[in-house]
Amino acid sequence: MSGLLGIRGERDALAAKETFPLPDDVCIITPGLSRTLVVAPKGDEPATIASLTVSLETLHRFVSEEDLRSRVSHLRDRCPAVRFDPVLAAMVKAVAVASEVGADDLYAQSAAQFIAAHLLAPHTTGSAKSSGALGSRQLETILAYMRENIGRPISVDDLASLVSFSRFHFVRCFKATTGSTPYRYLTELRIDLARKYLENGSDTIAHIGQRCGFSGPGHFSRSFSRIVGCTPSQYRTMRT
């Protein structure tokens, strides 16, 4: 299945930049991003990585070049880190099994078209109000505010007020749009920024946590470990 699927077994940890929980988790990496995954197998069985790539030719069957650039940019904003997608998880497993039993390229091409439609469907135009999701401008306003104030305390009420929503309605719409709660999304943005500081520079870990908006070293360490899979100091050691 050339150009679509590559599978490899991993017994040793890879150079860490992202933690990939197992089993059945999916990491969506949009064009223009580069991530190194560290896989920690559960139990004695070795982990297996299934890497599936959808070609630009397949994506262009659904959208134009100009529209695709806009949607890829939007997808990158919506997926700052690893997230679980049950549809993609099932599809990757199905393609992996099909590859092992000798399925031909027709199966791979059909899978690629389905995945392209699945990835692009959430970004098609439509009524945000009727779908219970935020509009594109509303989302851009929220994400811009998060980035501009990432080192300061940000409450859900602060974010809800930007789009004149109640707290409850905002949380529901934000999760429908991004697949994540506002708190989780903001934390992942902060962790992404913290990793850049840890990789580049000699600032203290405590100061990095403060710069990224964490309330204290303990909060920073717990949040970092939960999302990345190691402590900030361990991450810095692995990246230097």
Side-chain angles (χ1 to χ4, degrees):
M1 296 188 183
S2 60
L4 180 67
L5 179 68
I7 306 173
R8 56 180 178 174
E10 296 290 348
R11 294 180 181 274
D12 300 318
L14 302 175
K17 187 174 182 182
E18 197 80 71
T19 297
F20 192 55
L22 294 175
D24 299 334
D25 243 348
V26 171
C27 177
I28 302 172
I29 303 177
T30 56
L33 294 181
S34 176
R35 293 186 183 277
T36 301
L37 305 180
V38 55
V39 180
K42 293 183 177 180
D44 297 329
E45 294 187 10
T48 298
I49 302 173
S51 173
L52 190 152
T53 302
V54 179
S55 69
L56 285 175
E57 179 183 359
T58 299
L59 293 173
H60 285 155
R61 294 179 183 178
F62 295 88
V63 295
S64 66
E65 176 69 28
E66 183 178 353
D67 193 17
L68 179 60
R69 285 197 298 268
S70 174
R71 296 190 190 193
V72 166
S73 178
H74 195 193
L75 180 63
R76 185 181 296 117
D77 282 337
R78 287 161 60 101
C79 306
V82 173
R83 70 179 176 88
F84 180 64
D85 186 317
V87 174
L88 288 181
M91 197 67 211
V92 170
K93 289 178 66 177
V95 175
V97 171
S99 177
E100 291 173 354
V101 299
D104 58 21
D105 282 349
L106 179 61
Y107 189 99
Q109 292 166 6
S110 299
Q113 291 183 37
F114 173 83
I115 290 168
H118 175 69
L119 289 174
L120 295 173
H123 312 290
T124 55
T125 57
S127 171
K129 183 176 181 181
S130 62
S131 65
L134 294 171
S136 59
R137 290 186 180 180
Q138 290 174 321
L139 181 61
E140 289 168 7
T141 298
I142 296 299
L143 298 185
Y145 183 87
M146 285 182 174
R147 294 190 184 97
E148 290 168 5
N149 298 277
I150 201 165
R152 306 172 186 172
I154 299 176
S155 70
V156 173
D157 290 332
D158 292 335
L159 300 175
S161 66
L162 294 173
V163 289
S164 301
F165 282 7
S166 69
R167 178 189 180 96
F168 173 79
H169 185 55
F170 170 72
V171 171
R172 182 168 59 84
C173 290
F174 188 92
K175 189 169 184 179
T177 306
T178 66
S180 176
T181 65
Y183 177 80
R184 172 79 182 191
Y185 195 101
L186 176 61
T187 300
E188 289 179 348
L189 285 180
R190 285 172 165 161
I191 293 299
D192 276 352
L193 180 61
R195 289 190 309 184
K196 293 176 182 177
Y197 288 145
L198 289 168
E199 293 170 14
N200 303 288
S202 57
D203 205 356
T204 66
I205 290 175
H207 191 220
I208 289 174
Q210 183 180 15
R211 292 176 66 185
C212 294
F214 293 96
S215 59
H219 181 210
F220 178 38
S221 182
R222 288 191 301 272
S223 299
F224 196 96
S225 297
R226 184 176 67 251
I227 292 175
V228 181
C230 62
T231 66
S233 60
Q234 290 170 334
Y235 183 83
R236 171 171 271 174
T237 299
M238 288 186 290
R239 299 301 297 175
T240 56

